[in-house]
């Protein structure tokens, strides 16, 4: 039994099944892992889903780490809940991504998948109910588990429950696209919490505008997750990163760099970012041969066709730009369409300009990370639709993410920014970015539930 519990789709550890039947445990990172480290492992439990065959085999063998409970949910139920609802419905709603003339379509197949989403959430609620001490604090994470607070409240009314949404929250107009009963169930689930957390006031206000919290006892609060500066700088100065940085410097030469690091996620707006770079080279020919765009695009959700198509389009547009403008000794875009954190950290350090232009983003920690580790300071071109905009807008060059011409002009302004101004802005950006590091972010939420820490 535990006094502090965390629930999330992905846990702090995953298992890889070897050909010889061995299980290799791999630790994850991120804000939650760092945050929970502030609480004694003897008093805490992390409930998560078994994501692959290695995880499921670990559950079957009873292999696990102290304080981690993995749920072996039926693979078909999991696929329906995770890909069919969480990533194909709720993600699209909260990020306003639907192609309205064609989507959404809420039919019998959707209803079947929603049943799986409900069952997936129920598995978490029952596991939490069975593992929690009397009056324990439970912190539920993200849109995958939006029904858990309501379900858990029915099972254990004594618990103190918080839910944190790491994405934006849909505007009332978008939320009303859901069938009425499904929307009501979604809000019922969320309002089972004592406190609902969001990264920014914009997302908290969007929730409040679409839900009636009166009489529920639910508080809506804002916790803008920041960066652990010491940990990130340590990671960015490892020998492997130094080596990769030397390689990138050799490729770039003495040219300026525009850096972006994203998953190939539809909301990240990578294609318009590339179009803006192409327009910069077209309208400002003085930059030809003098700047390189370093783009890291981690493949995301490649089991969904729309994401596979988007990833292909990103690579194709980069090739078009290189074919149009490239010369024997200059490749305008150096794009890496693979998961390469070492390269990303090296690019962070090399950045003269950071481009972060999502159409809608819960926070976007890249906007916070690059100023923290950039070696010479960087100018940040930032979408006003990123959650990070609320904290960073004073020292960033902010843009409408749909306006390619405005973004191209912002890139030019960033590239020509005097070094003293760039250094001053970077310092202030880094200060804002580290204001609420992961441990404090986690502990603040725990304290709001009345848990002394």
């Amino acid at each position: 039994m535990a006094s502090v519990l965390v629930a999330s789709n992905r846990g702090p550890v995953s298992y890889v099944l070897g050909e010889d039947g061995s299980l290799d445990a791999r630790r994850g990172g991120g804000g939650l892992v760092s945050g929970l480290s502030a609480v004694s492992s003897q008093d805490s439990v992390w409930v998560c889903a078994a994501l692959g065959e290695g995880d499921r085999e670990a559950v079957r063998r009873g292999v696990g780490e102290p304080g981690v409970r993995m749920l072996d949910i039926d693979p078909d139920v999991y696929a329906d809940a995770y890909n069919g609802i969480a990533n194909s419905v709720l993600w699209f709603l909260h990020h306003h991504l639907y192609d309205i003339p064609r989507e959404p379509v809420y039919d019998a197949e959707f209803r079947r998948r929603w049943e799986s989403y409900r069952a997936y959430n129920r598995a978490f609620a029952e596991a939490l109910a069975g593992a929690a001490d009397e009056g324990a604090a439970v912190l539920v994470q993200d849109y995958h588990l939006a029904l858990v607070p309501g379900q858990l409240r029915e099972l254990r009314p004594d618990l103190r429950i918080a839910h944190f949404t790491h994405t934006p929250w849909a505007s009332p107009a978008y939320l009303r696209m859901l069938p009425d009963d499904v929307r009501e169930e979604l809000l019922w689930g969320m309002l089972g919490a004592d406190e609902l957390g969001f990264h920014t006031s914009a997302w908290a206000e969007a929730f409040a505008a679409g839900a009636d919290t009166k009489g529920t006892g639910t508080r809506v609060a804002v916790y803008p997750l920041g960066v652990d500066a010491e940990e990130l700088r340590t990671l960015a100065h490892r020998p492997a990163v130094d080596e990769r940085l030397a390689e990138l410097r050799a490729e770039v030469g003495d040219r300026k760099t525009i850096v972006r690091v994203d998953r190939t996620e539809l909301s990240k707006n990578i294609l318009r970012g590339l179009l803006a770079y192409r327009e910069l080279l077209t309208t400002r020919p003085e930059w030809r041969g003098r700047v390189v765009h370093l783009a890291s695009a981690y493949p995301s959700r490649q089991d969904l066709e729309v994401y596979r198509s988007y990833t292909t389009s990103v690579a194709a547009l980069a090739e078009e730009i290189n074919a149009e403008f490239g010369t024997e000794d200059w490749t305008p875009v150096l794009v890496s369409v693979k998961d390469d954190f070492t390269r990303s950290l090296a690019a962070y350090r090399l950045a003269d300009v950071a481009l972060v232009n999502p159409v809608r983003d819960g926070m976007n920690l890249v906007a916070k990370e690059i100023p923290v580790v950039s070696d010479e300071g960087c100018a940040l071109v930032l979408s006003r639709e990123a959650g990070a905009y609320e904290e960073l807008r004073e020292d960033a060059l902010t843009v409408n993410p749909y306006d390619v011409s405005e973004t191209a002009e912002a890139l030019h302004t960033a590239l020509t920014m005097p070094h003293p101004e760039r250094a001053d802005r970077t310092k202030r950006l880094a200060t804002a970015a580290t204001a609420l590091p992961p441990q404090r972010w986690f502990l603040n939420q725990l304290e709001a539930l009345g848990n002394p820490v």
Side-chain angles (χ1 to χ4, degrees):
M1 304 294 280
S3 61
V4 176
L5 300 94
V6 168
S8 63
N9 176 67
R10 182 180 297 276
V13 64
S14 61
Y15 294 90
V16 177
L17 184 62
E19 292 183 4
D20 62 353
S22 62
L23 285 170
D24 179 27
R26 300 184 179 178
R27 298 291 298 181
L32 267 183
V33 174
S34 179
L36 192 59
S37 68
V39 180
S40 168
S41 61
Q42 293 180 341
D43 300 326
S44 64
V45 168
W46 191 322
V47 178
C48 57
L51 301 184
E53 188 52 39
D55 288 353
R56 295 190 183 94
E57 184 61 24
V59 174
R60 286 191 285 268
R61 295 183 191 178
V63 173
E65 297 210 0
V68 178
R69 180 175 177 192
M70 233 173 231
L71 306 180
D72 186 7
I73 297 167
D74 178 271
D76 291 335
V77 171
Y78 179 83
D80 282 343
Y82 183 74
N83 282 328
I85 297 296
N87 289 341
S88 294
V89 176
L90 299 181
W91 181 274
F92 276 67
L93 276 172
H94 291 325
H95 289 85
H96 293 185
L97 289 175
Y98 275 129
D99 178 7
I100 299 300
R102 296 179 176 85
E103 300 170 313
V105 176
Y106 298 131
D107 54 10
E109 178 63 13
F110 163 78
R111 294 284 180 176
R112 186 188 66 76
R113 291 173 175 171
W114 184 257
E115 289 286 346
S116 293
Y117 181 77
R118 184 185 296 130
Y120 161 80
N121 275 250
R122 172 64 64 173
F124 273 84
E126 291 175 351
L128 292 165
D133 284 334
E134 182 75 18
V138 182
L139 291 90
V140 182
Q141 304 299 311
D142 230 352
Y143 61 101
H144 312 89
L145 301 176
L147 302 183
V148 166
Q151 294 173 337
L152 185 56
R153 179 68 65 203
E154 288 187 336
L155 295 170
R156 290 287 304 273
D158 61 294
L159 300 179
R160 292 165 296 134
I161 305 168
H163 184 284
F164 192 91
T165 300
H166 293 265
T167 64
W169 187 266
S171 68
Y174 246 76
L175 199 64
R176 283 196 298 270
M177 291 181 188
L178 285 172
D180 290 351
D181 61 316
V182 171
R183 184 181 71 253
E184 289 170 7
E185 184 177 3
L186 179 69
L187 294 174
W188 166 85
M190 293 286 285
L191 292 171
D194 296 290
E195 181 169 279
L196 297 174
F198 298 89
H199 281 304
T200 75
S201 59
W203 312 141
E205 289 164 6
F207 179 86
D212 183 4
T213 61
K214 292 180 181 177
T216 64
T218 301
R219 303 182 302 272
V220 179
V222 175
Y223 300 96
L225 177 63
V227 173
D228 185 328
E230 183 178 351
E231 179 183 35
L232 185 61
R233 287 172 181 146
T234 298
L235 288 171
H237 287 85
R238 292 173 301 161
V241 178
D242 290 336
E243 292 175 14
R244 188 60 61 87
L245 178 60
E247 294 170 2
L248 287 178
R249 286 191 192 281
E251 285 188 90
V252 170
D254 60 358
R255 301 178 178 92
K256 296 264 193 180
T257 58
I258 299 170
V259 170
R260 76 173 304 140
V261 175
D262 301 284
R263 291 177 293 112
T264 51
E265 160 55 54
L266 308 181
S267 65
K268 299 300 183 182
N269 208 23
I270 302 172
L271 290 175
R272 287 191 189 89
L274 287 168
L275 291 173
Y277 181 62
R278 183 166 71 182
E279 186 159 320
L280 171 74
L281 298 179
T282 301
T283 60
R284 302 280 187 172
E286 66 268 26
W287 286 114
R288 296 177 192 176
R290 295 179 52 220
V291 64
V292 173
H293 187 11
L294 293 171
S296 293
Y298 297 178
S300 175
R301 299 173 185 165
Q302 296 300 291
D303 42 358
L304 298 177
E305 194 281 330
V306 65
Y307 283 87
R308 292 195 299 273
S309 174
Y310 189 75
T311 303
T312 300
S313 297
V314 166
L317 181 53
E319 289 177 6
E320 287 178 20
I321 294 170
N322 286 336
E324 182 177 357
F325 295 102
T327 63
E328 275 190 22
D329 63 349
W330 173 54
T331 303
V333 184
L334 296 177
V335 64
S336 172
V337 187
K338 63 180 180 179
D339 192 340
D340 189 344
F341 187 51
T342 301
R343 181 188 190 272
S344 296
L345 289 173
Y348 282 7
R349 290 178 55 186
L350 191 59
D352 293 302
V353 177
L355 176 58
V356 180
N357 68 317
V359 294
R360 195 168 165 89
D361 213 336
M363 174 52 74
N364 197 298
L365 284 178
V366 170
K368 294 185 171 185
E369 291 169 346
I370 296 181
V372 170
V373 299
S374 173
D375 283 352
E376 301 296 329
C378 69
L380 174 62
V381 176
L382 179 65
S383 164
R384 67 190 187 195
E385 301 302 323
Y389 170 81
E390 282 193 11
E391 297 170 273
L392 306 183
R393 60 186 174 186
E394 294 298 326
D395 290 294
L397 301 171
T398 60
V399 295
N400 174 347
Y402 302 98
D403 190 337
V404 167
S405 294
E406 181 188 44
T407 305
E409 188 60 27
L411 290 173
H412 172 72
T413 301
L415 288 165
T416 55
M417 184 179 292
H419 187 271
E421 179 185 354
R422 192 176 75 179
D424 287 345
R425 285 181 183 243
T426 302
K427 185 177 180 179
R428 292 192 296 268
L429 287 167
T431 298
T434 56
L436 193 65
Q439 280 201 0
R440 180 38 54 192
W441 171 84
F442 181 87
L443 292 176
N444 282 1
Q445 293 173 73
L446 204 53
E447 289 168 356
L449 287 177
N451 216 69
V453 290

